[in-house]
Amino acid sequence: MKNVLFAAGEKRWALYFDPLTKALESEGVAAHLSQDIPPQSVDYIVYAPDSSLQDFRPYTRAKAVLNLWAGVEKIVGNETLSIPLARMVDPGLSKGMTEWVVGHVLRHHLGMDRHIVNPDNEWRPAVPPLAFERTVVIFGLGALGTACAMALVALGFNVVGWSRSPKSVEGVTCLHGEAGLSAALAQADIAVMLLPDTPATTNLMNAETLGQMPQGAYLINPGRGPLIDDDALLGALETGQIAHATLDVFRTEPLPRVHPFWDHPNVTVTPHIAADTRPATAAQMVARNIARSEAGLPLLNLVDRSLGY
Ligand code: NDP
Ligand code: OXD
């Protein structure tokens, strides 16, 4: 019997208990799943970064931490954690992110605001370009960036992806590393940020890089707040270098009520809802990883602590 500690909060416990119990059963793992297990008896920890568990040292027998979030920036630097950490890759999360990104890309591509907000009853015909005439650059070609890129390719957009290491995604022009960054920025009529928050990605969008994007570009950030230098973005919005920013994530969440993004006419704020893990599918991913670990196989979606994601 494996003791699986659920350290992810009361609200999630209610959502995850049934799906996780079923998923563990169907993976053939005999498990005792609970929110309350003596630390020295715990075999696996299902985790959310807002959990009260922050000191992993007493969990001497634990074999892995299975994060329910895709982003691991709140746990990856925890020095008390010395066992493997897996991040969440969940088909439900990927679908949610794809729908959110496609929706916001289409909003800007089609210029929907012009017709939705038209207080003067002005007849203003403006025909948008076709998708193949618009380049969308996805910064981050991981589980989520790739799913979004493929959906945008299917709609006919010219899609460019940028990652740390070389990638190959059908229909997508793949660029990588420092050498590929300027070319990616220069083409980004619409930029979608799906990078993790690491020391290497902090302020990737700053005055200089925003200035390398086409005049009047759109910026969509469902990745993490620190990817963007807020002041530089406000400056770029002021000059029209960036026409509009749609932001789901922020350095401080909830976004403080006094933050200038709230009232800016060319900023859309959404409250970190771009995508969420879906218990039915996320539970299967967690159970599969526990089963793999028990079978002596490497964990899927293992975090590289030295890279921070
Ligand atoms: P992955 O780890 O699968 O992908 C990350 C991508 O970023 C990879 O392509 C990686 O490159 C690239 N990358 C990392 N560091 C660099 C760098 N220094 N330079 C260039 N590229 C880099 O993550 P996911 O796709 O699963 O998730 C992405 C992020 O989305 C999460 O970290 C999280 O912050 C955010 N998120 C937001 C949600 C929301 O609701 N707003 C919901 C879920 C996630 P390589 O392929 O070479 O490794
Ligand atoms: C995540 C998120 O990282 O919801 O999963 O942002």
Side-chain angles (χ1 to χ4, degrees):
M1 179 73 70
K2 295 296 150 192
N3 288 325
V4 179
L5 177 70
F6 190 85
E10 203 56 45
K11 216 172 86 195
R12 287 194 190 87
W13 175 241
L15 295 171
Y16 274 89
F17 180 74
D18 281 346
L20 254 181
T21 303
K22 284 194 193 103
L24 286 162
E25 261 170 37
S26 76
E27 289 289 341
V29 179
H32 164 60
L33 175 65
S34 169
Q35 293 191 97
D36 185 18
I37 302 174
Q40 66 280 9
S41 307
V42 169
D43 294 298
Y44 294 96
I45 304 173
V46 179
Y47 191 73
D50 50 0
S51 159
S52 57
L53 198 178
Q54 297 296 329
D55 183 358
F56 291 90
R57 283 171 302 185
Y59 295 83
T60 46
R61 171 169 131 181
K63 292 188 189 149
V65 173
L66 296 319
N67 205 40
L68 288 180
W69 287 41
V72 291
E73 71 282 356
K74 292 203 174 112
I75 180 178
V76 76
N78 187 323
E79 285 175 2
T80 68
L81 181 67
S82 55
I83 52 174
L85 167 68
R87 65 196 184 78
M88 177 52 66
V89 173
D90 159 34
L93 185 70
S94 301
K95 281 197 174 71
M97 185 60 83
T98 303
E99 292 174 16
W100 189 91
V101 166
V102 167
H104 287 280
V105 165
L106 284 175
R107 169 191 175 192
H108 296 309
H109 168 63
L110 296 174
M112 288 183 187
D113 292 14
R114 191 179 302 120
H115 310 294
I116 293 172
V117 184
N118 187 2
D120 313 325
N121 296 348
E122 277 280 336
W123 184 266
R124 262 190 300 234
V127 179
L130 289 172
F132 76 86
E133 297 167 294
R134 185 89 73 182
T135 300
V136 183
V137 180
I138 314 271
F139 291 87
L141 265 189
L144 300 177
T146 301
C148 294
M150 285 164 58
L152 291 165
V153 166
L155 284 172
F157 285 98
N158 182 35
V159 181
V160 174
W162 183 73
S163 51
R164 190 181 52 80
S165 56
K167 288 264 132 49
S168 168
V169 181
E170 202 180 335
V172 177
T173 304
C174 295
L175 302 171
H176 69 275
E178 202 53 41
L181 182 59
S182 295
L185 290 164
Q187 299 176 69
D189 298 327
I190 301 178
V192 178
M193 306 302 293
L194 275 168
L195 293 161
D197 173 13
T198 73
T201 62
T202 304
N203 288 335
L204 182 84
M205 289 300 183
N206 54 46
E208 193 191 329
T209 48
L210 290 168
Q212 290 180 50
M213 290 169 67
Q215 174 78 21
Y218 298 94
L219 181 63
I220 299 178
N221 185 18
R224 282 294 185 260
L227 300 176
I228 298 175
D229 175 335
D230 289 1
D231 290 336
L233 174 57
L234 288 165
L237 286 161
E238 199 56 42
T239 61
Q241 171 65 21
I242 298 297
H244 194 107
T246 296
L247 310 173
D248 184 59
V249 283
F250 305 90
R251 283 167 191 269
T252 306
E253 295 182 5
L255 183 64
R257 282 186 187 277
V258 293
H259 197 288
F261 285 158
W262 279 115
D263 292 325
H264 199 293
N266 295 328
V267 176
T268 299
V269 170
T270 63
H272 199 144
I273 44 78
D276 205 357
T277 45
R278 307 290 158 151
T281 42
Q284 287 169 12
M285 303 308 287
V286 168
R288 188 166 310 151
N289 249 347
I290 292 177
R292 285 178 68 89
S293 169
E294 286 304 300
L297 296 169
L299 291 183
L300 300 172
N301 312 313
L302 193 61
V303 171
D304 180 332
R305 306 279 299 272
S306 65
L307 292 173
Y309 73 99

